[in-house]
């Protein structure tokens, strides 16, 4: 988990460097739309990767606290949210936990004391709330914005290439027909 956080942080710095470099190379106003969109896509990706790395570090901290054995380790300390004692008195016990990577979160699993038909225990789960809501929202929002900018960069690049191809074809046609007409006229005069 920590390795993924380091990889996400390195990715964030790399994308930030690329985005700033692309925008600063010729200036924001002088660079064309494809360069502008590519730079913005990289910067949005950088923020998304940084937010995800921050969330991973929070989840890793909750995981390490949960795995810390010894005295006072049951129930899991990361799952001791406000009201857990009252729920335990009612028979709802914390029995396990899972880590969620998309969206980021530390999920505590509970077991109810009441049994259902057939002897199957009725259980539930809840997120302990260590990862703030805005971390997942920022990671998703900036990832989608970066993807939108990347698609826009491809569209703008394709549009510029087609416009350049059409201009080149028009010049070649105009110059070629003018020379052919001049040559034909000169051939008749001789």
């Amino acid at each position: 988990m920590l390795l993924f956080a380091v990889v996400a942080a390195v990715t964030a710095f790399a994308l930030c460097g690329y985005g700033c470099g692309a925008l600063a190379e010729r200036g924001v106003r002088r660079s064309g739309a494809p360069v502008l969109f590519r730079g913005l896509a990289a910067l949005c990706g950088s923020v998304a990767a940084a937010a995800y790395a921050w969330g991973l570090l929070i989840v890793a901290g909750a995981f390490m606290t949960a795995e810390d054995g010894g005295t006072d380790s049951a129930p899991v300390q990361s799952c001791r949210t406000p009201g857990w004692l009252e729920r335990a008195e009612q028979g709802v016990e914390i029995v396990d936990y899972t880590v969620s990577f998309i969206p980021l979160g530390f999920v505590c699993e509970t077991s109810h004391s009441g049994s259902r038909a057939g002897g199957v225990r009725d259980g539930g789960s809840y997120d302990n709330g260590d990862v703030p809501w805005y971390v997942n929202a920022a990671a998703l929002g900036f990832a989608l914005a970066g993807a939108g900018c990347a698609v826009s960069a491809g569209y703008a690049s394709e549009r510029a290439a087609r416009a350049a191809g059409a201009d080149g074809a028009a010049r070649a046609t105009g110059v070629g027909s003018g020379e052919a007409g001049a040559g034909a006229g000169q051939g008749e005069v001789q």
Side-chain angles (χ1 to χ4, degrees):
M1 198 171 340
L2 290 177
L3 177 64
F4 291 133
V6 169
V7 168
V10 168
T11 302
F13 280 112
L15 286 173
C16 183
Y18 174 78
C20 290
L23 294 176
E25 185 174 336
R26 293 188 321 199
V28 175
R29 291 185 183 203
R30 287 185 295 177
S31 58
V35 174
L36 181 66
F37 281 128
R38 276 195 300 270
L40 288 176
L43 290 176
C44 287
S46 171
V47 173
Y52 195 78
W54 182 27
L56 275 175
L57 288 176
I58 294 170
V59 170
F63 177 76
M64 287 195 284
T65 301
E67 287 295 312
D68 185 26
T71 309
D72 197 34
S73 64
V76 177
Q77 288 183 2
S78 296
C79 293
R80 295 181 191 175
T81 58
W84 74 273
L85 279 174
E86 291 81 17
R87 289 190 300 268
E89 289 172 358
Q90 295 172 357
V92 179
E93 298 177 10
I94 300 167
V95 294
D96 201 7
Y97 64 89
T98 56
V99 174
S100 171
F101 290 104
I102 298 178
L104 286 169
F106 190 87
V107 181
C108 302
E109 313 234 348
T110 61
S111 172
H112 295 280
S113 62
S115 62
R116 300 176 76 189
V120 177
R121 296 179 77 88
D122 185 16
S125 62
Y126 64 93
D127 190 307
N128 73 346
D130 280 355
V131 179
W133 66 270
Y134 54 84
V135 171
N136 285 319
L140 177 64
F142 279 102
L144 290 176
C149 285
V151 169
S152 297
Y155 176 73
S157 196
E158 178 70 23
R159 189 171 172 195
R162 286 184 185 205
D167 287 346
R171 286 182 188 149
T173 306
V175 170
S177 63
E179 289 176 359
Q186 288 176 359
E188 293 173 6
V189 172
Q190 293 175 350

